[in-house]
């Protein structure tokens, strides 16, 4: 099992091994089954929630012949259970503050695992669509809707359940991944899932996000410059 997963994950971390998408699907399915039959699913609910979610998104992308995206999702499933560094594709963990992450992992491990996977799956689509384009992102509306609806469900649940404030961090000079996060925070505000957003950080970054619609109009701004490369967004 471990050898199969390492072989599949090598596609992700850039070694010289190779494996077909089907082999990776089978490896992750076997890992899910192992967790279910050995009791690990109950012992490690956070990991198990990620495994099943990434497996679902991997199959979804594969159904539309988007093999690269499917491989990324399945590789993240492997990463959830194995000691490999997958931070490059973990959009969610790069943005959430450590205190918020720890509180959620202790109190709501299943919800954290599901929102993390849903966030990464939808971010993979959204970022490609908005910054690279391509006919495929105009054609596969059903795929987009499935990813978007799943994300919205878990995003609302996460923002509602999480102890307040929920703290996210973005770069002082916001990158594309930051734009996805702030766009999703803005959507959540106008949907009524959160009631207040406060931006701590650089005025130029705040102004750019605000003017371009990446922050709610009612966002509070607080100057903050404590020798850090991040701006911080507090959600209430």
């Amino acid at each position: 099992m471990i050898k199969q997963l390492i072989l599949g994950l090598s596609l992700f971390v850039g070694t010289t091994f190779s494996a077909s998408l089907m082999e990776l699907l089978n490896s992750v399915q076997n890992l899910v089954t192992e967790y279910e039959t050995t009791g690990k699913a109950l012992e490690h609910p956070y990991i198990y929630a990620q495994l099943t979610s990434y497996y679902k998104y991997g199959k979804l992308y594969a159904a539309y012949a988007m093999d690269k995206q499917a491989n990324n999702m399945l590789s993240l499933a492997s990463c959830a259970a194995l000691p490999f560094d997958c931070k490059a594709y973990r959009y969610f963990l790069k943005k959430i503050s450590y205190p918020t992450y720890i509180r959620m992992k202790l109190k709501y491990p299943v919800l954290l695992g599901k929102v993390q996977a849903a966030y990464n799956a939808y971010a993979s689509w959204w970022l490609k669509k908005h910054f690279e384009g391509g006919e495929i992102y105009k054609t596969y509306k059903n795929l987009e809707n499935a990813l978007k609806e799943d994300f919205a469900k878990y995003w609302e649940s996460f923002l509602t359940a999480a102890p307040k404030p929920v703290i996210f961090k973005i770069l002082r000079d916001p990158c594309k991944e930051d734009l996805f996060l702030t766009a999703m925070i803005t959507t959540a505000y106008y949907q009524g899932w959160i009631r207040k957003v406060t931006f701590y950080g650089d005025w130029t970054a705040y102004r750019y996000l605000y003017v371009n619609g990446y922050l709610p109009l009612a966002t509070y701004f607080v100057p903050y410059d404590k020798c850090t490369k991040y701006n911080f967004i507090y959600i209430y």
Side-chain angles (χ1 to χ4, degrees):
M1 172 61 66
I2 296 298
K3 289 182 178 180
Q4 286 181 315
L5 286 171
I6 292 175
L7 178 61
L9 189 56
S10 66
L11 286 169
F12 185 81
V13 298
T15 65
T16 57
F17 296 102
S18 64
S20 70
L21 178 58
M22 185 57 66
E23 288 174 328
L24 193 51
L25 276 165
N26 290 338
S27 295
V28 174
Q29 174 62 76
N30 291 339
L31 184 58
V32 170
T33 301
E34 178 186 322
Y35 265 69
E36 292 172 343
T37 56
T38 62
K40 289 183 179 179
L42 295 177
E43 294 174 9
H44 306 285
Y46 172 59
I47 294 176
Y48 178 68
Q50 291 182 76
L51 287 175
T52 54
S53 297
Y54 283 128
Y55 180 61
K56 176 177 68 175
Y57 298 131
K59 289 195 298 181
L60 184 60
Y61 271 120
Y64 286 85
M66 298 183 71
D67 290 2
K68 182 177 180 180
Q69 290 84 348
N71 270 296
N72 287 341
M73 292 297 104
L74 295 169
S75 296
L76 281 171
S78 301
C79 286
L82 294 173
F84 283 88
D85 183 4
C86 301
K87 292 178 182 178
Y89 287 89
R90 287 185 172 178
Y91 303 119
F92 184 78
L93 291 187
K94 289 169 66 178
K95 301 305 172 186
I96 193 171
S97 71
Y98 187 70
T100 297
Y101 168 77
I102 289 298
R103 287 197 297 267
M104 286 298 295
K105 188 175 180 181
L106 290 174
K107 194 170 184 179
Y108 301 108
V110 174
L111 176 56
L112 180 63
K114 288 184 177 296
V115 73
Q116 181 177 326
Y119 185 105
N120 288 334
Y122 185 47
S124 296
W125 175 276
W126 191 94
L127 290 167
K128 290 285 187 181
K129 179 180 179 180
H130 282 73
F131 298 108
E132 295 183 21
E135 193 62 32
I136 193 171
Y137 295 97
K138 300 176 184 178
T139 304
Y140 291 163
K141 282 295 182 182
N142 289 340
L143 172 58
E144 180 177 12
N145 289 338
L147 293 169
K148 185 176 182 179
E149 290 172 8
D150 221 39
F151 166 70
K153 175 176 64 177
Y154 293 118
W155 187 232
E156 178 185 7
S157 297
F158 167 75
L159 294 175
T160 301
K164 305 300 185 292
V166 180
I167 306 171
F168 290 98
K169 59 185 180 182
I170 64 174
L171 295 176
R172 300 287 287 187
D173 183 12
C175 64
K176 295 174 182 177
E177 290 82 0
D178 296 325
L179 298 184
F180 173 77
L181 170 62
T182 52
M184 297 306 107
I185 290 173
T186 300
T187 297
Y189 179 84
Y190 289 124
Q191 289 290 332
W193 303 339
I194 55 179
R195 60 180 181 83
K196 179 181 176 182
V197 178
T198 301
F199 184 100
Y200 291 86
D202 176 68
W203 167 258
T204 302
Y206 165 78
R207 187 65 181 168
Y208 170 78
L209 295 170
Y210 185 87
V211 169
N212 288 282
Y214 287 105
L215 286 173
L217 294 176
T219 300
Y220 293 84
F221 172 73
V222 179
Y224 183 85
D225 186 5
K226 300 295 183 181
C227 300
T228 175
K229 64 179 181 179
Y230 297 109
N231 297 296
F232 298 92
I233 300 176
Y234 281 55
I235 296 172
Y236 300 88

